Amino acid sequence: MPGKGESVRVVVDLTRCQGYGQCVFMAPEVFSMSGREALAYDPDPPDAQREHVLRAAAACPVQALHVDRVSAPDPDRVPDPPSPDGDGFRRTGRVVIVGASLAGMRAATVLRREGFAGPIILVGDERGEPYDRPPLSKQVLTGQVRAHNTALPRLPDLDAEWVRGTAATGLDLGRRCVRLANGRDVEFDRLLIATGTRARPWPDAAEAALDGVFTLRTAEDAFRLRRRLGEGTGRVLVIGAGFTGSEIASVCRELGRPVTVAERGPAPLVGALGGVIGAVAADLQRTHGVDLRCGVSVTALEGEAGRLCRARLSDGDTLPVEVAVAALGAVRNVEWLEGSGLAAGPWGVACDAGCRVFDINGLVTDDVFAAGDVARLPHPLYEYQFLTLEHWGSAVAQAEVAAHNMVSGQARRWPHLALPVFWSSQFGVDIKSVGVPTFADEVMITQGTAKEHRFVAVYGYRGRITAAVTFDQGMWLEFYQGLIEQAAPFPPRFRTVDRSGAAHPVPAEVPDRVLASHGATVVVTGHDPAERRAWLVHRSR
């Protein structure tokens, strides 16, 4: 904890937060809650709020608040004993981390916590401090937090070399070195690839260059978009209704800006949650005044004197717009790995369950690891399908596994078995998920009602629970996580007190491209990362 008089930085693990609101009572100048459970906070509160923030962190029932650190060492944890192939590296090895954001920072922190004493070099293409991205599409756009105040907490004793504002341009596995844009070669004994993603730009370069056309991924993007949203009153066009696009639309309505969302799919969030829950998200948007156009594409962005003024849609309509935000998904930052011999491409960097990267022949490379949005790992609970997960919780979990395995012998390495989790706050509703909702053939509402936008939806595949999504019911997420890990039967064999009638499964309406394949049933055992293991079991429907 920081000493008296020192400033604090705050990160809230919103996948753990269950909406109790104790922090809001303890530090109302720092934390706020819109709707029932959607928490917002200032990551860099003023010094005068220090004591209030510390009390809020202590009072949090689920300990989701982290102050001035990314994670706290467990005082009761017994470190691994020395191992022939791990202990020498802990003392004298050299680690290079390419990607100085959340995953890279967490990995460096865990390396030191695990007793690694050698040099750590963090390479990042942005000039500023590593920062937290989730607030960019929420508190930063509303003006609650300034973009430069989203810096991640950093341990004062991390003792790492920072190479900022310099991109990696190549990797030479034979020489064990990373080539940088400034001409420097950085040698490594072990490498972590954590280069993440960038926003997919509007495909027409001339239209993308119009004044008023934006993407949102970096702190600079958020700063520019926030400034423009605060300047005018005209219509905003959001192209794409995934999580980022939906959150931007929510901010526009909060600011009183008219907003049109163009989504070529049948509903918002279909690619992540399927059509049934996507329809609920569509109703949520329209209830809050969004002009939602589904099954519609933007065919052209047009300007006058270099400034955006209108958009043409595939249904023949023409909209006058002041601002357009292309929320078209992400591009994985793997170009620098071309020719390296690693299994890296538009789908990400392929790894085993221990975050060790495959080479192009499918062989594991013992000294190259990957974590975060760029990593593509098989998950036993999902029939070993390779998943790339662009979520805060996945980046943290993968970074911890990768860092531990870097300094551990074969017998003590961990598998990445954490379930995917994510959250999104939009239109005053807190949406959370555990598992992979698109790995499903059916879904049912087990608690609450979709009409009220407050419910739990449980997803099933071939007779077992594979995911759960909550709208303002986050306190139930941990319960359903346990059911997913144990391959509990679907439909669930219990009844909740807040449902008067019987619930029945319906087709999940998951896009065909992400439907699951046949395979074995797997359950996860253990609680501590050192004990968690996957086991094959035989289950009948």
Side-chain angles (χ1 to χ4, degrees), residues 9-315:
R9 289 180 180 172
V10 178
V11 169
V12 179
D13 183 351
L14 290 171
T15 56
R16 290 182 59 84
C17 174
Q18 297 179 1
Y20 290 103
Q22 292 283 52
C23 57
V24 180
F25 289 107
M26 296 289 185
E29 300 296 320
V30 178
F31 302 93
S32 62
M33 192 168 288
S34 61
R36 298 184 181 94
E37 295 184 13
L39 182 70
Y41 64 96
D42 183 351
D44 189 18
D47 293 352
Q49 293 296 317
R50 174 184 174 278
E51 293 299 330
H52 298 284
V53 170
L54 295 180
R55 288 195 205 101
C60 177
V62 293
Q63 292 297 285
L65 275 66
H66 304 290
V67 180
D68 259 2
R69 62 189 188 278
V70 177
S71 65
D74 181 356
D76 299 321
R77 180 181 179 276
V78 178
D80 289 338
S83 58
D85 51 351
D87 191 51
F89 175 77
R90 290 179 195 238
R91 295 193 302 269
T92 62
R94 178 184 176 92
V95 171
V96 173
I97 299 172
V98 182
S101 190
L102 176 64
M105 277 275 292
R106 178 61 68 101
T109 302
V110 174
L111 282 169
R112 293 303 188 211
R113 188 181 72 192
E114 294 270 347
F116 178 70
I120 298 176
I121 300 96
L122 288 114
V123 178
D125 59 358
E126 295 188 64
R127 294 188 178 279
E129 288 274 310
Y131 54 87
D132 204 19
R133 295 189 190 276
L136 300 182
S137 59
K138 305 173 183 70
Q139 295 102 301
V140 172
L141 290 190
T142 60
Q144 294 174 284
V145 175
R146 293 183 179 181
H148 67 267
N149 285 352
T150 60
L152 289 166
R154 192 205 300 181
L155 288 178
D157 56 351
L158 193 56
D159 189 24
E161 177 188 349
W162 296 80
V163 182
R164 295 193 182 93
T166 305
T169 59
L171 171 63
D172 188 330
L173 287 179
R175 294 176 51 220
R176 292 192 178 214
C177 73
V178 175
R179 294 189 295 273
L180 304 185
N182 62 7
R184 177 183 174 187
D185 285 351
V186 182
E187 296 181 350
F188 64 85
D189 294 313
R190 287 184 189 157
L191 169 70
L192 177 66
I193 299 170
T195 42
T197 62
R198 62 186 184 275
R200 187 179 299 279
W202 182 246
D204 187 298
E207 295 177 2
L210 289 171
D211 183 14
V213 179
F214 297 85
T215 57
L216 179 60
R217 175 64 182 174
T218 67
E220 179 62 26
D221 293 338
F223 171 78
R224 292 174 55 246
L225 181 55
R226 165 59 195 166
R227 183 173 59 186
R228 183 57 60 86
L229 290 177
E231 289 174 351
T233 59
R235 182 165 297 275
V236 177
L237 172 64
V238 179
I239 309 170
F243 284 107
T244 298
S246 297
E247 290 172 0
I248 293 170
S250 174
V251 168
C252 289
R253 295 307 301 137
E254 187 174 343
L255 296 174
R257 295 290 297 262
V259 57
T260 295
V261 175
E263 167 56 47
R264 64 182 179 180
L269 310 181
V270 167
L273 305 182
V276 173
I277 306 306
V280 180
D283 181 67
L284 182 64
Q285 291 201 18
R286 291 181 172 126
T287 298
H288 286 82
V290 174
D291 173 29
L292 176 63
R293 313 277 187 100
C294 295
V296 173
S297 300
V298 176
T299 58
L301 299 173
E302 298 177 350
E304 294 177 359
R307 184 152 187 159
L308 176 70
C309 61
R310 72 182 69 89
R312 297 191 184 276
L313 307 183
S314 60
D315 61 2

Side-chain angles (χ1 to χ4, degrees), residues 240-516:
F243 284 107
T244 298
S246 297
E247 290 172 0
I248 293 170
S250 174
V251 168
C252 289
R253 295 307 301 137
E254 187 174 343
L255 296 174
R257 295 290 297 262
V259 57
T260 295
V261 175
E263 167 56 47
R264 64 182 179 180
L269 310 181
V270 167
L273 305 182
V276 173
I277 306 306
V280 180
D283 181 67
L284 182 64
Q285 291 201 18
R286 291 181 172 126
T287 298
H288 286 82
V290 174
D291 173 29
L292 176 63
R293 313 277 187 100
C294 295
V296 173
S297 300
V298 176
T299 58
L301 299 173
E302 298 177 350
E304 294 177 359
R307 184 152 187 159
L308 176 70
C309 61
R310 72 182 69 89
R312 297 191 184 276
L313 307 183
S314 60
D315 61 2
D317 200 2
T318 300
L319 292 176
V321 295
E322 286 186 356
V323 175
V325 186
L328 303 174
V331 179
R332 293 176 180 89
N333 295 318
V334 296
E335 291 85 356
W336 68 284
L337 296 171
E338 185 176 350
S340 67
L342 297 181
W347 58 84
V349 180
C351 315
D352 71 358
C355 298
R356 296 182 299 174
V357 174
F358 290 120
D359 71 12
I360 200 167
N361 297 304
L363 299 174
V364 169
T365 56
D366 285 331
D367 299 322
V368 182
F369 296 74
D373 295 355
V374 76
R376 184 168 175 255
L377 290 78
H379 201 297
L381 288 184
Y382 299 99
E383 298 182 345
Y384 299 95
Q385 288 193 17
F386 280 78
L387 305 175
T388 306
L389 303 160
E390 299 168 19
H391 301 305
W392 195 94
S394 297
V396 169
Q398 291 167 9
E400 292 189 348
V401 169
H404 171 83
N405 290 346
M406 276 185 174
V407 296
S408 300
Q410 180 66 37
R412 296 183 179 87
R413 285 177 176 160
W414 295 346
H416 172 64
L417 296 179
L419 284 175
V421 291
F422 72 83
W423 74 91
S424 175
S425 297
Q426 47 189 267
F427 306 101
V429 174
D430 205 31
I431 303 173
K432 293 183 178 179
S433 170
V434 61
V436 182
T438 51
F439 191 101
D441 48 22
E442 293 181 301
V443 65
M444 65 181 290
I445 305 295
T446 57
Q447 295 170 242
T449 63
K451 182 179 180 180
E452 296 178 355
H453 304 148
R454 190 181 191 192
F455 61 89
V456 179
V458 178
Y459 293 73
Y461 179 70
R462 298 190 179 277
R464 67 182 176 93
I465 297 175
T466 55
V469 171
T470 65
F471 278 48
D472 276 345
Q473 292 276 19
M475 65 183 65
W476 286 102
L477 215 59
E478 188 174 351
F479 168 73
Y480 286 99
Q481 177 177 332
L483 297 182
I484 297 166
E485 289 183 338
Q486 296 307 309
F490 181 89
R493 295 175 183 172
F494 58 83
R495 188 172 176 180
T496 57
V497 296
D498 59 348
R499 292 197 64 85
S500 56
H504 302 284
V506 298
E509 300 178 15
V510 172
D512 290 340
R513 61 184 173 81
V514 290
L515 282 175

